[in-house]
Amino acid sequence: MKLNGKIVLVTGASSGIGAATALAFAAEGARLLLAARRASKLAEVASRTLERGAASVHSIDLDVRHHHAVQTAIDDLPPEWAEIDVLINNAGLSRGLEKLYTGKTEDWDEMIDTNVKGLLYVSRAVIPGMVVRGRGHIVNLGSTAGDLPYPNGAVYCGSKAAVHAINDGLRQDLLGTPVRVTSVDPGTVETDFSLVRFRGDAGRAAKVYQGLTPLSAEDVADAIVWAVSRPDHVNIARITLTSVHQANSLLFHRES
Ligand code: NDP
Ligand code: 8X3
């Protein structure tokens, strides 16, 4: 797929991997539909995408957890933005790092509502149009955490295992259409992810990346753009990437 002029919807575009992905597609001359809850952060990313070469940009204030809001936001897009070519289901988060049997049910709800149900709601709103138009590509952000759960992370890891199952099921449901489905599964990436997980505890968040070189958001964006830019008949089912300091979701090499 040539990316110049394609409409790319990125959820969770206000930060981290989503923002880097928007910028990477901008450099290819794509048209960017940016979605997230923090409008001021989205506005910053929007202006950077234009500097980077985006053909145009349109931002949507969107909480993916609300089914009707998601459907309405997609249904109400201006006609010139309605024909989405690429959907990057990136919005997601983790809350807490705690044994399941002492975990907070409100944290579970937030993770499952965002990472699983939010991804489903956006997919349900966008994919029918792709099928009708006979073109499209969905990229879902999974994680190495979805392959191998780590202690105190059962619910987050479970939400990412669900993304893998949904990704593989969706690819089967779309068989016979030209619409492609890819899961991009990074290991540890230095973003606001840990700050959000630990509710703003910067010291605790920094320890996650201490003594190792993590992936950058740009590394992940690069993999996403690569998958989407393969020839139309090639479906990259899944990309797993980690830094050389990580073997899987449990095993890290730290210099100090
Ligand atoms: P960040 O915290 O930097 O970004 C998360 C993004 O998700 C933000 O833009 C946030 O926007 C958005 N978001 C969260 N909740 C909602 C919601 N309810 N509705 C809409 N948008 C929402 O983290 P990352 O960039 O690291 O995370 C992006 C994705 O990558 C997530 O799915 C994460 O699970 C996955 N991932 C991250 C890894 C890592 O180590 N960082 C590794 C593997 C996968 P806003 O708050 O403005 O709504
Ligand atoms: C997010 C990264 O380190 O929690 O999927 O596995 S990690």
Side-chain angles (χ1 to χ4, degrees), residues 142-145 150 156 160 186-189 193 197 208 246 249 252:
S143 170
T144 51
Y150 47 79
Y156 176 73
K160 290 299 177 179
T188 297
V189 189
F193 179 86
R197 165 169 259 172
V208 172
Q246 181 175 10
S249 65
F252 294 83

Side-chain angles (χ1 to χ4, degrees), residues 168-190:
D168 292 344
L170 177 60
R171 203 170 49 255
Q172 295 176 63
D173 291 345
L174 286 165
L175 199 59
T177 81
V179 180
R180 302 184 290 175
V181 186
T182 300
S183 178
V184 172
D185 303 334
T188 297
V189 189
E190 189 161 10

Side-chain angles (χ1 to χ4, degrees), residues 39-87:
S40 61
K41 292 252 178 206
L42 268 190
E44 283 170 33
V45 175
S47 110
R48 288 169 61 206
T49 60
L50 288 172
E51 286 163 18
R52 190 68 72 88
S56 50
V57 61
H58 182 73
S59 298
I60 319 171
D61 180 357
L62 188 69
D63 187 330
V64 297
R65 294 173 296 176
H66 301 141
H67 176 225
H68 292 295
V70 169
Q71 190 65 52
T72 304
I74 299 301
D75 290 346
D76 290 354
L77 282 171
E80 66 275 21
W81 285 99
E83 299 198 349
I84 296 166
D85 295 294
V86 180
L87 164 61

